[in-house]
Amino acid sequence: MEEKRIDFAQECKQMVKGILKLIWILEGSPELPFNSKEYMMLYTTIYNMCIERDLQIYVKYKKVLELYLENFALRAIRNKHDEYMLKELAQRWSNHKVMVRQLSLFFSYLHRCYITKCNLPGFNEVGISCFRDGVYMMVKADAREAVITLINKEREGGQIDRSLLKNIVDIFVEVGLGKLDHYEQDFEIQMLDDTANYYKSKGTIWIEVDSFQEYLSKALECFRKENNRVSHYLHSSTWQKLRKKVHHELFGTNGSQLTRKVYFGFPALLTNDKVEDLSRIYRISQRIPGFFKLLVDLFKEHITAEGTVLIQQEEEAANNQTARGSSIRGHVLIRKIIKAHDKYMAYVNDCFMIDTKFHKALKEAFVIFCNKTVAGCTTAELLAAFCDNILKRRGSERLIDEAIEENLDKVVKLLVYINDKDLFAKYCRKNLARRLLFTPDANEEQERILLSMLKQQLGGNFPLNMERMVNDMILARECQSQFLKHLHNKKIQNLGMDITVTVLTTGSWPTYKTFDLNLPSMMIKCMEVFKRFYDLRYGRKTRRLRWIYSSGTCNVNGNFEPKIIELIVSTSQAVILLLFNNADRLSYSEIMTRLNLSHEDAGRLLHSLSCSKYKILNKEPNTKSISPNDIFQYNSKFTDKMRRIKIPITQHEDKRKMVEDLDNDRQYTIDAAIVRIMKSRMVLDYQQLQSECVEMLSPLFKPEIETIKKRIEHLIATDYLERDRDNQNIFKYVA
């Protein structure tokens, strides 16, 4: 059968006729769209031509696009300028994509049977290349300038067609056929340079006329708007470069002037609680390493300076106060430190997004001024006294339970900044003992809450002795209850006085002064009855009672001529007063001899009864000090508006002795730490041993290097350690 050949020239005319109709439709002529018959006729024509001469048809396809772009698209674009030129360019690019899409349908057989097999560029790629070479390369400079002009118009507050800019920027991107070379070289570089010039000019003006807050506010708004532009019409890859340009011009170029503004502006924001401004500054500073570090340093300096001022103010106030006034001032100082800590911690959490560098700066600042002394008192001592005042619920610290817990929690958080945490523990333990023994309404539940907080913050061993003290009080009450039942069961009723005994565990409680005091017979009788009960309950060999008279209290009825007054006194004071039941006048030496008192104790006790506020005893001569030649007489005419009064004893707390005790405790702690380290490591050089020792003890206190050296020498002398024979700086554990 003979193959039928087509008239190629005639078919070519039919193809051109169909393509011209497509062109006129795109150009807006009143042409009717292709109907199905016309579509199939054009498709069949191209199909027949492809079978005959596929390469020529492929070339013809490209030539059609080039002629269309040259005669219609490029000519129309060049007849317009500025924004109108951009609109025409966008429209021509849209029309061109429609034409490529339609032609691709007509030439689909060519794509399947020729382009794919020969690995030639597809219709879409050819279409973009034709537009790039025939139109884009001719108008890209004008288009770029027009786009940049519109961007600057928007920066100045003008209204622009963002969708138009998006379409134009897409042309810069799409002509790269998957690469951003044309976008970057033909548009982005120039746009970024123009942005730099724009913000350089603006920054120079703003830095001169605006305050620190205003400048930062404008800068942050610029970043927000530029990011918004990228999201609406610029390519996403531009954001990092654009942000870098804006940062450099607003903060790098004007860095020195901005730094001067920061030094005055940032502390002012901290002082005046400008939360929103601080948040803005933080967000900006994160992107500028040098600026960020400057803010962190200023934050630390500001807190340190404010804390130091607080210490100095309280130091000056304390020098002008009495001892009681100084104590009150100490509570005021702790209140101020807590307030400052709450304030700056809120800044770290809310404004600085819990940033670790700002948190570290806060910690370092508080460590600096929280370890200073005020009128001879360390902050550790003041914190312990503050807790004591709250838990005693006295004076201005009468708080509800929730407020007590909140205040205790804040105090415990401050402990993190205290170097001498063991000193706080020592004072805290001493104050706890006073509350448990001498405060009738001591709240053991609140005490346990404090101990739980200390355990959570500082570790389980820190409040161990104090927990035992609280438990001791519970056991002591049970023991007293059993004792009363014992008296009832044995029908022992003629003791002559009521007795309450608090049995404490040696070692858990602070060390109290003990001395042999000659007691009245009725007191001795009560003690013997209790001792028999205690031995019967626990056994003589398992436990031994030791009486601490210095911590006892007595309620004594004073029969004065005006009225009977109940006197709350210590055991030693009560014993002195009871001497006057059988004597009108007693000399200093007689009292001291009868009771077996030392000069120090006798003088202190007699001073509290005859020279202080409540003069229960009259003294001859009537002076304000006690001497061995004084004579004492019961003051029968004493009276007071109260029917029940407490007569305090002047407590001469020897801080030097407490410091000595603390130093001794620390020596044992350092010894234990060194032995523990060496036992696990066996061989260690001096620097490493010193470093590990400091790290191990830092939760309690910071040991001095010289002290560590002495304790190492001590452990060598006691055969716990030995030096290496070849290297004196290497130590070995002696197993």
Side-chain angles (χ1 to χ4, degrees):
M1 184 176 178
E2 186 177 338
E3 183 180 356
K4 182 181 179 181
R5 300 188 64 82
I6 65 169
D7 186 345
F8 190 81
Q10 183 62 32
E11 295 290 339
C12 189
K13 289 180 182 179
Q14 288 286 27
M15 181 186 74
V16 170
K17 182 180 177 182
I19 292 174
L20 285 174
K21 179 173 181 176
L22 175 61
I23 291 173
W24 293 125
I25 291 173
L26 292 174
E27 290 300 312
S29 298
E31 287 278 349
L32 293 174
F34 287 93
N35 55 39
S36 57
K37 183 179 179 180
E38 291 173 326
Y39 178 87
M40 288 304 301
M41 183 181 295
L42 181 57
Y43 178 85
T44 303
T45 298
I46 296 173
Y47 170 80
N48 292 332
M49 295 173 68
C50 287
I51 293 175
E52 184 72 22
R53 301 175 186 178
D54 45 16
L55 178 59
Q56 290 184 22
I57 297 302
Y58 182 72
V59 174
K60 193 73 174 176
Y61 168 81
K62 184 177 181 182
K63 189 65 177 177
V64 166
L65 290 179
E66 290 174 343
L67 289 172
Y68 166 70
L69 292 172
E70 180 181 358
N71 294 320
F72 292 93
L74 182 59
R75 185 176 299 174
I77 293 170
R78 280 180 165 171
N79 287 333
K80 294 182 174 61
H81 303 283
D82 301 328
E83 187 173 352
Y84 299 102
M85 182 270 291
L86 294 179
K87 290 180 180 179
E88 188 66 34
L89 175 61
Q91 184 61 50
R92 289 296 168 178
W93 173 246
S94 177
N95 290 349
H96 178 69
K97 289 194 290 186
V98 172
M99 186 171 185
V100 170
R101 189 161 55 249
Q102 289 296 327
L103 291 179
S104 298
L105 294 175
F106 296 144
F107 288 81
S108 59
Y109 179 79
L110 180 66
H111 183 271
R112 291 196 306 270
C113 299
Y114 178 70
I115 295 175
T116 304
K117 289 181 180 179
C118 297
N119 198 25
L120 296 172
F123 292 136
N124 186 61
E125 186 176 346
V126 171
I128 293 176
S129 298
C130 289
F131 189 89
R132 179 189 64 208
D133 299 335
V135 177
Y136 169 81
M137 298 301 290
M138 310 303 173
V139 301
K140 64 179 181 180
D142 293 336
R144 178 183 63 224
E145 294 303 320
V147 170
I148 291 174
T149 299
L150 288 177
I151 291 174
N152 285 331
K153 179 181 177 181
E154 186 183 47
R155 284 171 178 158
E156 291 295 335
Q159 295 294 321
I160 65 169
D161 186 351
R162 284 187 163 188
S163 61
L164 173 61
L165 292 192
K166 172 64 176 172
N167 292 334
I168 300 301
V169 169
D170 285 346
I171 296 174
F172 283 97
V173 174
E174 291 177 33
V175 296
L177 293 171
K179 297 181 180 180
L180 293 176
D181 296 353
H182 286 285
Y183 173 78
E184 293 173 350
Q185 297 296 324
D186 299 340
F187 170 73
E188 188 183 62
I189 292 176
Q190 185 63 37
M191 187 273 295
L192 291 174
D193 289 343
D194 184 82
T195 299
N197 293 331
Y198 177 85
Y199 282 109
K200 182 178 182 180
S201 175
K202 290 294 182 182
T204 302
I205 297 171
W206 294 344
I207 201 72
E208 292 292 339
V209 299
D210 290 332
S211 67
F212 173 62
Q213 298 93 309
E214 291 170 337
Y215 186 88
L216 289 176
S217 180
K218 288 182 177 180
L220 185 61
E221 184 65 12
C222 290
F223 292 131
R224 187 190 67 78
K225 289 182 177 179
E226 293 300 332
N227 189 19
N228 190 261
R229 289 184 186 99
V230 172
S231 64
H232 278 84
Y233 52 79
L234 298 177
H235 193 270
S236 59
S237 64
T238 302
W239 170 235
Q240 295 296 333
K241 306 170 189 175
L242 186 62
R243 186 178 67 177
K244 186 176 180 181
K245 286 285 186 183
V246 178
H247 281 164
H248 176 73
E249 297 305 330
L250 294 182
F251 295 103
T253 304
N254 300 308
S256 59
Q257 287 177 277
L258 182 60
T259 300
R260 289 196 295 271
K261 284 182 177 286
V262 171
Y263 270 110
F264 294 100
F266 186 65
L269 296 181
L270 294 172
T271 302
N272 298 322
D273 200 22
K274 299 293 184 180
V275 176
E276 293 183 1
D277 291 334
L278 290 170
S279 299
R280 289 194 194 98
I281 295 170
Y282 174 73
R283 290 198 295 272
I284 295 172
S285 67
Q286 278 185 306
R287 309 178 187 111
I288 313 168
F291 185 50
F292 180 82
K293 185 178 184 303
L294 174 62
L295 291 184
V296 172
D297 293 341
L298 285 176
F299 186 62
K300 177 182 175 181
E301 290 175 14
H302 180 78
I303 298 175
T304 304
E306 186 171 308
T308 304
V309 168
L310 289 179
I311 299 295
Q312 291 173 349
Q313 288 175 347
E314 297 307 314
E315 181 79 32
E316 294 171 1
N319 292 335
N320 300 322
Q321 297 271 344
T322 60
R324 176 174 173 75
S326 297
S327 175
I328 295 173
R329 295 301 308 180
H331 300 327
V332 172
L333 173 61
I334 297 302
R335 284 281 182 203
K336 289 181 178 179
I337 293 177
I338 289 174
K339 183 179 179 181
H341 186 259
D342 289 345
K343 174 183 175 181
Y344 293 112
M345 187 58 75
Y347 287 159
V348 171
N349 293 334
D350 302 334
C351 302
F352 307 142
M353 306 300 291
I354 322 179
D355 193 289
T356 54
K357 288 185 172 59
F358 277 95
H359 193 277
K360 182 182 178 182
L362 181 145
K363 181 178 180 180
E364 291 174 351
F366 271 82
V367 167
I368 290 172
F369 70 82
C370 279
N371 289 286
K372 296 180 180 292
T373 59
V374 181
C377 295
T378 63
T379 310
E381 182 180 353
L382 295 178
L383 285 173
F386 184 77
C387 290
D388 182 53
N389 205 44
I390 290 176
L391 290 169
K392 286 193 297 189
R393 302 169 183 255
R394 292 186 178 176
S396 61
E397 307 300 341
R398 292 180 180 273
L399 306 172
I400 60 174
D401 290 348
E402 291 78 7
I404 289 175
E405 288 186 34
E406 182 181 353
N407 279 271
L408 292 177
D409 181 61
K410 291 178 179 180
V411 170
V412 172
K413 286 178 180 177
L414 288 181
L415 277 178
V416 176
Y417 313 119
I418 304 300
N419 291 335
D420 299 329
K421 296 179 182 66
D422 57 341
L423 182 60
F424 169 84
K426 205 169 187 67
Y427 279 111
C428 202
R429 181 182 172 202
K430 180 181 177 182
N431 294 334
L432 173 62
R434 287 180 178 173
R435 291 195 300 275
L436 294 177
L437 294 176
F438 305 122
T439 304
D441 58 346
N443 189 327
E444 290 177 4
E445 183 180 350
Q446 296 290 351
E447 301 290 355
R448 289 190 183 278
I449 288 173
L450 173 60
L451 298 180
S452 175
M453 291 176 180
L454 292 173
K455 182 185 293 186
Q456 185 176 4
Q457 189 76 27
L458 304 172
N461 292 329
F462 190 83
L464 191 58
N465 279 333
M466 290 183 274
E467 287 180 334
R468 291 171 179 167
M469 290 164 63
V470 176
N471 292 333
D472 267 3
M473 294 304 296
I474 297 174
L475 297 175
R477 283 196 293 272
E478 292 178 1
C479 182
Q480 177 65 19
S481 177
Q482 294 295 324
F483 176 59
L484 294 177
K485 289 181 181 179
H486 170 78
L487 294 179
H488 178 74
N489 294 336
K490 297 294 183 179
K491 297 181 180 181
I492 303 174
Q493 299 176 352
N494 58 343
L495 290 177
M497 59 182 289
D498 295 331
I499 179 173
T500 300
V501 181
T502 304
V503 182
L504 311 177
T505 304
T506 303
S508 299
W509 292 72
T511 303
Y512 295 104
K513 183 179 180 180
T514 59
F515 53 89
D516 292 329
L517 181 66
N518 293 335
L519 301 175
S521 57
M522 59 180 175
M523 286 188 179
I524 295 175
K525 181 180 178 181
C526 291
M527 291 166 59
E528 289 176 347
V529 170
F530 182 83
K531 187 175 184 304
R532 286 196 295 270
F533 154 76
Y534 196 78
D535 290 343
L536 183 65
R537 185 178 182 187
Y538 295 105
R540 289 174 179 268
K541 295 182 180 180
T542 56
R543 300 190 182 186
R544 183 172 65 88
L545 290 175
R546 183 164 57 94
W547 299 89
I548 309 295
Y549 304 122
S550 59
S551 298
T553 59
C554 289
N555 289 26
V556 179
N557 287 329
N559 294 316
F560 303 104
E561 292 180 6
K563 63 180 180 181
I564 296 176
I565 299 176
E566 184 179 353
L567 308 176
I568 304 173
V569 293
S570 69
T571 302
S572 304
Q573 287 174 314
V575 171
I576 291 176
L577 292 176
L578 291 176
L579 291 177
F580 289 90
N581 283 340
N582 302 315
D584 293 331
R585 292 163 58 88
L586 290 171
S587 66
Y588 174 91
S589 57
E590 286 177 312
I591 295 172
M592 191 175 69
T593 302
R594 289 190 187 186
L595 300 182
N596 192 33
L597 293 172
S598 65
H599 278 286
E600 179 186 354
D601 291 331
R604 188 163 51 88
L605 293 168
L606 289 170
H607 186 278
S608 68
L609 295 170
S610 61
C611 300
S612 60
K613 179 179 178 181
Y614 304 111
K615 293 181 173 54
I616 309 301
L617 301 178
N618 289 328
K619 183 176 76 72
E620 297 177 4
N622 186 16
T623 59
K624 292 185 178 181
S625 60
I626 302 297
S627 69
N629 299 321
D630 290 343
I631 304 296
F632 298 90
Q633 184 177 6
Y634 178 62
N635 182 12
S636 60
K637 299 186 181 300
F638 173 80
T639 187
D640 192 84
K641 63 181 180 179
M642 306 295 292
R643 291 191 173 275
R644 190 168 184 262
I645 60 175
K646 182 177 181 179
I647 304 175
I649 302 176
T650 304
Q651 298 291 339
H652 297 290
E653 296 183 357
D654 191 351
K655 286 191 177 182
R656 184 175 59 185
K657 184 178 184 306
M658 178 171 283
V659 171
E660 290 175 357
D661 292 342
L662 183 67
D663 287 341
N664 291 333
D665 292 343
R666 286 182 175 180
Q667 289 181 13
Y668 299 139
T669 306
I670 294 172
D671 288 351
I674 293 173
V675 171
R676 193 176 298 118
I677 293 168
M678 291 302 301
K679 195 171 183 179
S680 63
R681 304 294 292 275
M682 299 307 291
V683 178
L684 209 59
D685 66 84
Y686 170 72
Q687 291 297 334
Q688 189 68 22
L689 176 58
Q690 172 191 306
S691 175
E692 291 191 22
C693 185
V694 171
E695 183 179 356
M696 181 179 287
L697 297 175
S698 58
L700 280 179
F701 63 94
K702 286 190 175 180
E704 295 180 0
I705 303 304
E706 191 61 34
T707 305
I708 294 177
K709 289 181 180 179
K710 290 180 180 179
R711 300 322 299 169
I712 291 174
E713 295 298 333
H714 170 75
L715 292 173
I716 292 173
T718 51
D719 295 330
Y720 282 95
L721 306 178
E722 64 180 10
R723 294 183 187 274
D724 185 82
R725 293 181 180 179
D726 299 326
N727 190 339
Q728 293 292 297
N729 284 325
I730 294 179
F731 302 99
K732 297 180 180 179
Y733 177 71
V734 179

